[in-house]
mmCIF file of all heavy atoms in Angstrom:
data_model
loop_
_atom_site.group_PDB
_atom_site.id
_atom_site.type_symbol
_atom_site.label_atom_id
_atom_site.label_comp_id
_atom_site.label_asym_id
_atom_site.label_seq_id
_atom_site.Cartn_x
_atom_site.Cartn_y
_atom_site.Cartn_z
ATOM 1 N N VAL J 4 123.778 -208.283 82.069
ATOM 2 C CA VAL J 4 123.394 -207.498 80.858
ATOM 3 C C VAL J 4 124.236 -206.137 81.113
ATOM 4 O O VAL J 4 123.964 -205.424 82.050
ATOM 5 C CB VAL J 4 121.965 -207.151 80.753
ATOM 6 C CG1 VAL J 4 121.759 -206.265 79.525
ATOM 7 C CG2 VAL J 4 121.138 -208.456 80.612
ATOM 8 N N CYS J 23 124.662 -203.586 73.791
ATOM 9 C CA CYS J 23 124.109 -204.288 74.888
ATOM 10 C C CYS J 23 124.842 -205.725 74.825
ATOM 11 O O CYS J 23 124.602 -206.497 73.714
ATOM 12 C CB CYS J 23 122.587 -204.606 74.682
ATOM 13 S SG CYS J 23 121.827 -205.616 76.019
ATOM 14 N N ASN J 24 125.669 -205.983 75.779
ATOM 15 C CA ASN J 24 126.311 -207.294 75.834
ATOM 16 C C ASN J 24 125.708 -208.190 76.971
ATOM 17 O O ASN J 24 125.438 -207.575 78.074
ATOM 18 C CB ASN J 24 127.819 -207.173 76.098
ATOM 19 C CG ASN J 24 128.558 -206.450 74.970
ATOM 20 O OD1 ASN J 24 127.971 -206.443 73.835
ATOM 21 N ND2 ASN J 24 129.683 -205.941 75.267
ATOM 22 N N TYR J 25 125.415 -209.373 76.681
ATOM 23 C CA TYR J 25 124.767 -210.183 77.846
ATOM 24 C C TYR J 25 125.384 -211.519 77.886
ATOM 25 O O TYR J 25 126.107 -211.988 77.037
ATOM 26 C CB TYR J 25 123.242 -210.330 77.355
ATOM 27 C CG TYR J 25 123.039 -211.004 76.077
ATOM 28 C CD1 TYR J 25 122.904 -212.448 76.023
ATOM 29 C CD2 TYR J 25 122.977 -210.329 74.828
ATOM 30 C CE1 TYR J 25 122.670 -213.081 74.834
ATOM 31 C CE2 TYR J 25 122.795 -210.993 73.673
ATOM 32 C CZ TYR J 25 122.633 -212.303 73.586
ATOM 33 O OH TYR J 25 122.468 -213.060 72.406
ATOM 34 N N VAL J 27 123.311 -213.881 79.592
ATOM 35 C CA VAL J 27 121.991 -214.717 79.897
ATOM 36 C C VAL J 27 121.965 -215.709 78.713
ATOM 37 O O VAL J 27 121.861 -215.411 77.606
ATOM 38 C CB VAL J 27 120.765 -213.907 79.913
ATOM 39 C CG1 VAL J 27 119.603 -214.815 80.160
ATOM 40 C CG2 VAL J 27 120.927 -212.829 81.049
ATOM 41 N N PHE J 30 117.984 -217.622 76.183
ATOM 42 C CA PHE J 30 117.042 -216.623 76.483
ATOM 43 C C PHE J 30 115.818 -216.712 75.542
ATOM 44 O O PHE J 30 116.047 -217.130 74.370
ATOM 45 C CB PHE J 30 117.637 -215.236 76.458
ATOM 46 C CG PHE J 30 118.114 -214.784 75.092
ATOM 47 C CD1 PHE J 30 117.182 -214.003 74.277
ATOM 48 C CD2 PHE J 30 119.334 -214.969 74.574
ATOM 49 C CE1 PHE J 30 117.570 -213.526 73.043
ATOM 50 C CE2 PHE J 30 119.639 -214.581 73.224
ATOM 51 C CZ PHE J 30 118.799 -213.866 72.601
ATOM 52 N N SER J 31 114.772 -216.186 75.988
ATOM 53 C CA SER J 31 113.548 -216.176 75.121
ATOM 54 C C SER J 31 113.391 -215.054 74.214
ATOM 55 O O SER J 31 113.211 -215.334 73.056
ATOM 56 C CB SER J 31 112.343 -216.182 76.222
ATOM 57 O OG SER J 31 111.161 -215.899 75.402
ATOM 58 N N ASN J 32 113.690 -213.894 74.723
ATOM 59 C CA ASN J 32 113.631 -212.618 73.888
ATOM 60 C C ASN J 32 114.394 -211.524 74.478
ATOM 61 O O ASN J 32 114.712 -211.578 75.728
ATOM 62 C CB ASN J 32 112.242 -212.245 73.535
ATOM 63 C CG ASN J 32 111.357 -211.890 74.795
ATOM 64 O OD1 ASN J 32 111.305 -210.814 75.162
ATOM 65 N ND2 ASN J 32 110.771 -212.915 75.315
ATOM 66 N N LEU J 33 114.775 -210.615 73.651
ATOM 67 C CA LEU J 33 115.639 -209.525 74.100
ATOM 68 C C LEU J 33 114.861 -208.249 73.598
ATOM 69 O O LEU J 33 114.381 -208.227 72.464
ATOM 70 C CB LEU J 33 117.008 -209.482 73.404
ATOM 71 C CG LEU J 33 118.099 -208.404 73.826
ATOM 72 C CD1 LEU J 33 119.474 -208.987 73.737
ATOM 73 C CD2 LEU J 33 117.888 -207.214 72.948
ATOM 74 N N ARG J 34 114.706 -207.297 74.560
ATOM 75 C CA ARG J 34 113.899 -206.076 74.279
ATOM 76 C C ARG J 34 114.740 -204.799 74.502
ATOM 77 O O ARG J 34 115.487 -204.846 75.319
ATOM 78 C CB ARG J 34 112.749 -206.049 75.280
ATOM 79 C CG ARG J 34 111.860 -207.337 75.121
ATOM 80 C CD ARG J 34 110.695 -207.390 76.149
ATOM 81 N NE ARG J 34 109.962 -208.617 76.063
ATOM 82 C CZ ARG J 34 108.707 -208.686 76.139
ATOM 83 N NH1 ARG J 34 107.982 -207.548 76.383
ATOM 84 N NH2 ARG J 34 108.045 -209.819 76.059
ATOM 85 N N TRP J 35 114.385 -203.824 73.655
ATOM 86 C CA TRP J 35 114.939 -202.480 73.822
ATOM 87 C C TRP J 35 113.754 -201.584 74.205
ATOM 88 O O TRP J 35 112.714 -201.585 73.535
ATOM 89 C CB TRP J 35 115.591 -201.988 72.558
ATOM 90 C CG TRP J 35 116.979 -202.570 72.393
ATOM 91 C CD1 TRP J 35 117.351 -203.707 71.593
ATOM 92 C CD2 TRP J 35 118.250 -202.067 72.847
ATOM 93 N NE1 TRP J 35 118.674 -203.848 71.607
ATOM 94 C CE2 TRP J 35 119.238 -202.833 72.353
ATOM 95 C CE3 TRP J 35 118.543 -200.944 73.648
ATOM 96 C CZ2 TRP J 35 120.644 -202.611 72.616
ATOM 97 C CZ3 TRP J 35 119.901 -200.648 73.862
ATOM 98 C CH2 TRP J 35 120.911 -201.569 73.383
ATOM 99 N N TYR J 36 114.070 -200.754 75.146
ATOM 100 C CA TYR J 36 112.927 -199.749 75.569
ATOM 101 C C TYR J 36 113.610 -198.375 75.600
ATOM 102 O O TYR J 36 114.819 -198.167 75.823
ATOM 103 C CB TYR J 36 112.612 -199.997 77.078
ATOM 104 C CG TYR J 36 111.674 -201.226 77.268
ATOM 105 C CD1 TYR J 36 112.256 -202.500 77.611
ATOM 106 C CD2 TYR J 36 110.324 -201.144 77.113
ATOM 107 C CE1 TYR J 36 111.320 -203.487 77.708
ATOM 108 C CE2 TYR J 36 109.475 -202.225 77.292
ATOM 109 C CZ TYR J 36 109.985 -203.501 77.580
ATOM 110 O OH TYR J 36 109.184 -204.548 77.765
ATOM 111 N N SER J 46 108.267 -199.631 74.627
ATOM 112 C CA SER J 46 108.870 -200.666 73.879
ATOM 113 C C SER J 46 109.257 -200.135 72.504
ATOM 114 O O SER J 46 108.491 -199.644 71.812
ATOM 115 C CB SER J 46 107.885 -201.815 73.827
ATOM 116 O OG SER J 46 108.434 -202.861 73.027
ATOM 117 N N LEU J 47 110.498 -200.463 72.101
ATOM 118 C CA LEU J 47 110.949 -200.062 70.771
ATOM 119 C C LEU J 47 110.999 -201.413 69.960
ATOM 120 O O LEU J 47 110.438 -201.473 68.751
ATOM 121 C CB LEU J 47 112.347 -199.579 70.887
ATOM 122 C CG LEU J 47 112.499 -198.194 71.477
ATOM 123 C CD1 LEU J 47 114.004 -197.845 71.600
ATOM 124 C CD2 LEU J 47 111.690 -197.163 70.763
ATOM 125 N N THR J 48 111.663 -202.506 70.357
ATOM 126 C CA THR J 48 111.798 -203.741 69.654
ATOM 127 C C THR J 48 111.710 -204.903 70.615
ATOM 128 O O THR J 48 112.196 -204.867 71.740
ATOM 129 C CB THR J 48 113.015 -203.784 68.837
ATOM 130 O OG1 THR J 48 114.131 -203.736 69.676
ATOM 131 C CG2 THR J 48 113.140 -202.689 67.775
ATOM 132 N N ILE J 49 111.238 -206.028 70.012
ATOM 133 C CA ILE J 49 111.253 -207.298 70.722
ATOM 134 C C ILE J 49 112.021 -208.272 69.818
ATOM 135 O O ILE J 49 111.342 -208.409 68.684
ATOM 136 C CB ILE J 49 109.956 -207.774 71.203
ATOM 137 C CG1 ILE J 49 109.203 -206.691 72.128
ATOM 138 C CG2 ILE J 49 109.938 -209.189 71.944
ATOM 139 C CD1 ILE J 49 107.818 -207.081 72.419
ATOM 140 N N MET J 50 112.904 -208.995 70.158
ATOM 141 C CA MET J 50 113.589 -209.937 69.205
ATOM 142 C C MET J 50 113.622 -211.347 69.978
ATOM 143 O O MET J 50 114.145 -211.401 71.113
ATOM 144 C CB MET J 50 114.936 -209.605 68.852
ATOM 145 C CG MET J 50 115.046 -208.443 67.804
ATOM 146 S SD MET J 50 116.662 -208.020 67.309
ATOM 147 C CE MET J 50 117.432 -207.438 68.750
ATOM 148 N N THR J 51 113.296 -212.376 69.188
ATOM 149 C CA THR J 51 113.518 -213.700 69.696
ATOM 150 C C THR J 51 114.984 -214.019 69.435
ATOM 151 O O THR J 51 115.769 -213.416 68.781
ATOM 152 C CB THR J 51 112.641 -214.792 69.031
ATOM 153 O OG1 THR J 51 113.067 -214.872 67.685
ATOM 154 C CG2 THR J 51 111.142 -214.288 69.085
ATOM 155 N N PHE J 52 115.429 -215.173 70.151
ATOM 156 C CA PHE J 52 116.850 -215.589 70.106
ATOM 157 C C PHE J 52 117.120 -215.960 68.655
ATOM 158 O O PHE J 52 118.346 -216.004 68.153
ATOM 159 C CB PHE J 52 117.112 -216.809 70.907
ATOM 160 C CG PHE J 52 116.211 -217.967 70.445
ATOM 161 C CD1 PHE J 52 116.709 -218.974 69.584
ATOM 162 C CD2 PHE J 52 115.052 -218.226 71.035
ATOM 163 C CE1 PHE J 52 115.900 -219.985 69.302
ATOM 164 C CE2 PHE J 52 114.228 -219.326 70.721
ATOM 165 C CZ PHE J 52 114.714 -220.246 69.846
ATOM 166 N N GLU J 54 116.194 -214.232 65.837
ATOM 167 C CA GLU J 54 116.084 -213.098 64.927
ATOM 168 C C GLU J 54 117.385 -212.298 64.977
ATOM 169 O O GLU J 54 118.084 -212.276 65.951
ATOM 170 C CB GLU J 54 114.863 -212.166 65.408
ATOM 171 C CG GLU J 54 113.497 -212.785 65.137
ATOM 172 C CD GLU J 54 112.436 -211.805 65.606
ATOM 173 O OE1 GLU J 54 112.304 -211.602 66.791
ATOM 174 O OE2 GLU J 54 111.596 -211.447 64.729
ATOM 175 N N LYS J 57 115.481 -206.199 63.883
ATOM 176 C CA LYS J 57 114.057 -205.706 63.945
ATOM 177 C C LYS J 57 114.132 -204.184 63.975
ATOM 178 O O LYS J 57 114.981 -203.640 64.670
ATOM 179 C CB LYS J 57 113.598 -206.200 65.332
ATOM 180 C CG LYS J 57 112.115 -205.996 65.569
ATOM 181 C CD LYS J 57 111.192 -206.683 64.561
ATOM 182 C CE LYS J 57 111.159 -208.182 65.004
ATOM 183 N NZ LYS J 57 110.268 -208.467 66.137
ATOM 184 N N ALA J 64 117.304 -202.661 65.734
ATOM 185 C CA ALA J 64 117.917 -203.471 66.786
ATOM 186 C C ALA J 64 118.518 -204.592 65.980
ATOM 187 O O ALA J 64 117.922 -205.251 65.031
ATOM 188 C CB ALA J 64 117.073 -203.862 67.862
ATOM 189 N N THR J 65 119.749 -205.038 66.332
ATOM 190 C CA THR J 65 120.335 -206.215 65.857
ATOM 191 C C THR J 65 120.743 -207.189 66.953
ATOM 192 O O THR J 65 120.985 -206.707 68.047
ATOM 193 C CB THR J 65 121.640 -205.874 64.937
ATOM 194 O OG1 THR J 65 122.572 -205.311 65.763
ATOM 195 C CG2 THR J 65 121.210 -204.958 63.917
ATOM 196 N N LEU J 66 120.826 -208.384 66.594
ATOM 197 C CA LEU J 66 121.157 -209.386 67.632
ATOM 198 C C LEU J 66 122.137 -210.392 67.004
ATOM 199 O O LEU J 66 121.986 -211.016 65.892
ATOM 200 C CB LEU J 66 119.983 -210.124 68.030
ATOM 201 C CG LEU J 66 120.202 -211.354 69.001
ATOM 202 C CD1 LEU J 66 120.714 -210.825 70.367
ATOM 203 C CD2 LEU J 66 118.742 -212.083 69.282
ATOM 204 N N ASP J 67 123.242 -210.615 67.706
ATOM 205 C CA ASP J 67 124.299 -211.716 67.297
ATOM 206 C C ASP J 67 124.361 -212.623 68.526
ATOM 207 O O ASP J 67 125.064 -212.359 69.470
ATOM 208 C CB ASP J 67 125.663 -210.985 66.984
ATOM 209 C CG ASP J 67 126.654 -211.969 66.559
ATOM 210 O OD1 ASP J 67 126.545 -213.112 66.757
ATOM 211 O OD2 ASP J 67 127.613 -211.533 65.770
ATOM 212 N N LYS J 71 126.808 -212.848 71.629
ATOM 213 C CA LYS J 71 126.009 -212.432 72.706
ATOM 214 C C LYS J 71 126.010 -210.903 72.745
ATOM 215 O O LYS J 71 126.314 -210.305 73.869
ATOM 216 C CB LYS J 71 126.383 -212.997 74.084
ATOM 217 C CG LYS J 71 126.092 -214.529 74.090
ATOM 218 C CD LYS J 71 126.439 -215.145 75.446
ATOM 219 C CE LYS J 71 125.997 -216.531 75.604
ATOM 220 N NZ LYS J 71 126.609 -217.419 74.651
ATOM 221 N N GLN J 72 125.745 -210.248 71.608
ATOM 222 C CA GLN J 72 125.623 -208.798 71.638
ATOM 223 C C GLN J 72 124.416 -208.333 70.859
ATOM 224 O O GLN J 72 124.071 -209.010 69.808
ATOM 225 C CB GLN J 72 126.883 -208.240 70.823
ATOM 226 C CG GLN J 72 128.215 -208.467 71.607
ATOM 227 C CD GLN J 72 129.417 -207.817 70.900
ATOM 228 O OE1 GLN J 72 129.380 -207.847 69.571
ATOM 229 N NE2 GLN J 72 130.367 -207.346 71.622
ATOM 230 N N SER J 73 123.923 -207.231 71.255
ATOM 231 C CA SER J 73 122.708 -206.569 70.566
ATOM 232 C C SER J 73 123.160 -205.167 70.512
ATOM 233 O O SER J 73 123.852 -204.566 71.276
ATOM 234 C CB SER J 73 121.402 -206.773 71.293
ATOM 235 O OG SER J 73 120.340 -206.099 70.700
ATOM 236 N N SER J 74 122.644 -204.583 69.419
ATOM 237 C CA SER J 74 122.853 -203.183 69.293
ATOM 238 C C SER J 74 121.651 -202.407 68.884
ATOM 239 O O SER J 74 120.687 -203.072 68.238
ATOM 240 C CB SER J 74 124.028 -202.879 68.275
ATOM 241 O OG SER J 74 123.624 -203.300 66.989
ATOM 242 N N LEU J 75 121.458 -201.174 69.193
ATOM 243 C CA LEU J 75 120.370 -200.431 68.868
ATOM 244 C C LEU J 75 120.930 -199.159 67.920
ATOM 245 O O LEU J 75 121.678 -198.405 68.535
ATOM 246 C CB LEU J 75 119.580 -199.883 69.969
ATOM 247 C CG LEU J 75 118.367 -198.981 69.656
ATOM 248 C CD1 LEU J 75 117.190 -199.851 69.017
ATOM 249 C CD2 LEU J 75 117.725 -198.394 70.930
ATOM 250 N N ILE J 89 117.169 -198.885 77.390
ATOM 251 C CA ILE J 89 117.392 -199.905 78.285
ATOM 252 C C ILE J 89 117.258 -201.240 77.467
ATOM 253 O O ILE J 89 116.195 -201.450 76.746
ATOM 254 C CB ILE J 89 116.324 -199.885 79.466
ATOM 255 C CG1 ILE J 89 116.445 -198.530 80.262
ATOM 256 C CG2 ILE J 89 116.649 -201.002 80.428
ATOM 257 C CD1 ILE J 89 115.397 -198.309 81.232
ATOM 258 N N CYS J 90 118.182 -202.145 77.730
ATOM 259 C CA CYS J 90 118.207 -203.362 77.105
ATOM 260 C C CYS J 90 117.697 -204.514 78.164
ATOM 261 O O CYS J 90 118.090 -204.374 79.341
ATOM 262 C CB CYS J 90 119.545 -203.734 76.631
ATOM 263 S SG CYS J 90 119.898 -205.457 76.015
ATOM 264 N N VAL J 91 116.743 -205.351 77.705
ATOM 265 C CA VAL J 91 116.274 -206.336 78.750
ATOM 266 C C VAL J 91 116.363 -207.675 78.080
ATOM 267 O O VAL J 91 115.980 -207.923 76.974
ATOM 268 C CB VAL J 91 114.841 -206.112 79.164
ATOM 269 C CG1 VAL J 91 114.303 -206.971 80.116
ATOM 270 C CG2 VAL J 91 114.600 -204.542 79.697
ATOM 271 N N VAL J 92 116.844 -208.621 78.842
ATOM 272 C CA VAL J 92 116.964 -210.015 78.321
ATOM 273 C C VAL J 92 116.109 -210.918 79.216
ATOM 274 O O VAL J 92 116.348 -210.950 80.503
ATOM 275 C CB VAL J 92 118.466 -210.534 78.327
ATOM 276 C CG1 VAL J 92 118.515 -211.947 77.817
ATOM 277 C CG2 VAL J 92 119.379 -209.639 77.474
ATOM 278 N N ILE J 93 115.185 -211.703 78.663
ATOM 279 C CA ILE J 93 114.307 -212.588 79.356
ATOM 280 C C ILE J 93 114.830 -214.026 79.100
ATOM 281 O O ILE J 93 114.801 -214.512 78.022
ATOM 282 C CB ILE J 93 112.873 -212.336 78.916
ATOM 283 C CG1 ILE J 93 112.499 -210.858 79.224
ATOM 284 C CG2 ILE J 93 111.933 -213.268 79.627
ATOM 285 C CD1 ILE J 93 111.305 -210.430 78.625
ATOM 286 N N PRO J 94 115.125 -214.707 80.261
ATOM 287 C CA PRO J 94 115.678 -216.098 80.051
ATOM 288 C C PRO J 94 114.626 -217.038 79.612
ATOM 289 O O PRO J 94 113.469 -216.871 79.867
ATOM 290 C CB PRO J 94 116.177 -216.368 81.487
ATOM 291 C CG PRO J 94 115.433 -215.448 82.336
ATOM 292 C CD PRO J 94 115.156 -214.200 81.575
ATOM 293 N N PHE J 102 116.604 -209.818 83.240
ATOM 294 C CA PHE J 102 117.759 -209.161 83.400
ATOM 295 C C PHE J 102 117.863 -207.788 82.604
ATOM 296 O O PHE J 102 117.761 -207.792 81.400
ATOM 297 C CB PHE J 102 118.959 -210.134 82.808
ATOM 298 C CG PHE J 102 119.082 -211.374 83.603
ATOM 299 C CD1 PHE J 102 118.486 -212.572 83.222
ATOM 300 C CD2 PHE J 102 119.825 -211.345 84.812
ATOM 301 C CE1 PHE J 102 118.632 -213.602 84.108
ATOM 302 C CE2 PHE J 102 119.980 -212.458 85.548
ATOM 303 C CZ PHE J 102 119.365 -213.687 85.173
ATOM 304 N N SER S 101 106.838 -213.893 77.499
ATOM 305 C CA SER S 101 106.385 -214.185 76.139
ATOM 306 C C SER S 101 106.847 -213.046 75.241
ATOM 307 O O SER S 101 107.703 -212.308 75.549
ATOM 308 C CB SER S 101 104.908 -214.308 76.202
ATOM 309 O OG SER S 101 104.297 -212.893 76.517
ATOM 310 N N TYR S 102 106.298 -213.026 74.101
ATOM 311 C CA TYR S 102 106.610 -212.015 73.136
ATOM 312 C C TYR S 102 105.640 -210.821 73.062
ATOM 313 O O TYR S 102 105.693 -210.055 72.188
ATOM 314 C CB TYR S 102 106.809 -212.683 71.776
ATOM 315 C CG TYR S 102 107.678 -213.848 71.732
ATOM 316 C CD1 TYR S 102 107.180 -215.048 71.233
ATOM 317 C CD2 TYR S 102 109.017 -213.711 72.315
ATOM 318 C CE1 TYR S 102 108.048 -216.155 71.370
ATOM 319 C CE2 TYR S 102 109.786 -214.981 72.266
ATOM 320 C CZ TYR S 102 109.216 -216.113 71.846
ATOM 321 O OH TYR S 102 110.086 -217.210 71.906
#
Side-chain angles (χ1 to χ4, degrees):
Chain J
V4 179
C23 173
N24 295 341
Y25 61 92
V27 181
F30 69 93
S31 168
N32 59 94
L33 184 148
R34 305 177 180 217
W35 282 94
Y36 287 94
S46 178
L47 293 177
T48 61
I49 302 173
M50 287 186 292
T51 68
F52 62 90
E54 293 179 293
K57 185 68 72 77
T65 62
L66 176 62
D67 186 333
K71 293 186 170 57
Q72 293 182 326
S73 177
S74 63
L75 180 69
I89 302 168
C90 171
V91 185
V92 182
I93 299 167
F102 295 95
Chain S
S101 69
Y102 309 122

